[in-house]
Amino acid sequence: MQDILIIMLRTIILYWVILGILRIMGKREVGELSIFDLVVFLLIAEVAAFALDDPHSNFIHALVPMVMLLIIQIGVSYFSLKSKKFRDVMEGQPSIIMKEGIIIEKEMRKQRYNLDDLLQQLREQQIGSIRSVSYAFLEPSGNLSVFKKDEQQYVFPLIIDGDIQQDHLERIGKSEKWLWEELEKQSITNVEKIFYCSYEEEALYIQLKTSF
């Protein structure tokens, strides 16, 4: 009877502890979780299960790793916010699976993503023909983002968090030299001051960082 009471008490405490950790970690839909988020959640679940499985174990030994996982998550989130390169390493980058109605087979093999998965996700977005797709991005979360030819097209960012996106420049047929010349026209000589930059309607759209 005592063991049952201990398990019940631990369940109540762990419920509020895990709920608090998830709230602190931020708001994300399950389908938008990164690999790192998923690993943290699985470890928290494993630690909680261990604490409930053995009522005679030291409960503090279960809470300590949970707190450590929370600290690690906050640290990773902080560095991800500060560094685009660190964010790409931890969370990955979206992959272009389709372009102008053509399936990029090489990229699909690289991502171990098959045609059945692609066609299913296209059907889920009410897209009946691959020829109507302008761009399809496989997101790090596994979701498929699709832009149709008759809709507003995706604008490739040229600068994110102070980092020039070389591959995006190539996709719009521009060079880094051209980008620097356009920035200099707007009296910008330090790319690290730029939070976001894109090329829309034959002009650069630039948003500077609020704190630098």
Side-chain angles (χ1 to χ4, degrees):
M1 184 63 181
Q2 183 179 2
D3 289 350
I4 294 177
L5 291 176
I6 292 175
I7 291 175
M8 292 174 61
L9 180 61
R10 288 188 177 188
T11 301
I12 295 172
I13 295 174
L14 286 173
Y15 170 81
W16 290 106
V17 169
I18 295 175
L19 181 62
I21 289 175
L22 297 182
R23 290 293 299 274
I24 293 173
M25 286 173 63
K27 296 179 180 179
R28 280 195 180 186
E29 294 181 7
V30 174
E32 296 177 350
L33 295 178
S34 67
I35 297 297
F36 183 78
D37 291 331
L38 185 59
V39 169
V40 171
F41 290 164
L42 289 175
L43 287 174
I44 289 176
E46 186 67 23
V47 171
F50 176 76
L52 296 177
D53 184 59
D54 184 6
H56 301 289
S57 63
N58 192 327
F59 192 49
I60 299 298
H61 290 173
L63 294 179
V64 169
M66 287 187 178
V67 174
M68 287 301 300
L69 288 169
L70 174 61
I71 293 173
I72 293 172
Q73 173 69 16
I74 292 174
V76 169
S77 298
Y78 174 80
F79 286 112
S80 295
L81 184 65
K82 294 293 183 179
S83 172
K84 173 70 166 58
K85 294 179 180 178
F86 182 82
R87 184 163 63 247
D88 289 342
V89 171
M90 296 303 298
E91 299 186 0
Q93 293 180 295
S95 302
I96 298 179
I97 298 297
M98 295 182 62
K99 179 180 179 181
E100 300 301 330
I102 297 175
I103 300 171
I104 305 176
E105 187 178 350
K106 180 179 178 181
E107 190 63 29
M108 289 187 65
R109 286 199 301 266
K110 179 181 176 181
Q111 301 300 326
R112 294 180 293 279
Y113 186 72
N114 60 55
L115 272 175
D116 289 335
D117 293 332
L118 173 62
L119 295 175
Q120 176 184 338
Q121 291 192 298
L122 289 176
R123 289 194 301 272
E124 289 173 349
Q125 300 190 44
Q126 288 77 50
I127 296 175
S129 172
I130 64 172
R131 296 173 62 187
S132 66
V133 176
S134 175
Y135 277 99
F137 297 85
L138 182 62
E139 305 293 352
S141 64
N143 292 332
L144 189 70
S145 301
V146 180
F147 293 84
K148 299 177 69 175
K149 292 180 179 179
D150 57 352
E151 298 176 345
Q152 183 177 7
Q153 296 303 299
Y154 178 72
V155 177
F156 288 98
L158 304 182
I159 300 174
I160 300 177
D161 284 345
D163 287 332
I164 296 176
Q165 308 299 298
Q166 297 286 354
D167 55 337
H168 292 179
L169 280 170
E170 294 175 3
R171 288 193 177 102
I172 67 170
K174 303 294 184 181
S175 65
E176 186 173 341
K177 179 182 178 182
W178 167 85
L179 178 60
W180 278 111
E181 291 174 350
E182 293 297 315
L183 292 175
E184 288 175 0
K185 291 179 183 178
Q186 302 192 36
S187 302
I188 298 176
T189 58
N190 187 354
V191 72
E192 292 183 1
K193 293 182 179 180
I194 300 175
F195 184 64
Y196 177 86
C197 171
S198 62
Y199 187 60
E200 305 178 42
E201 299 178 354
E202 304 299 322
L204 289 182
Y205 170 78
I206 299 174
Q207 181 178 335
L208 299 176
K209 294 181 179 180
T210 55
S211 58
F212 179 76

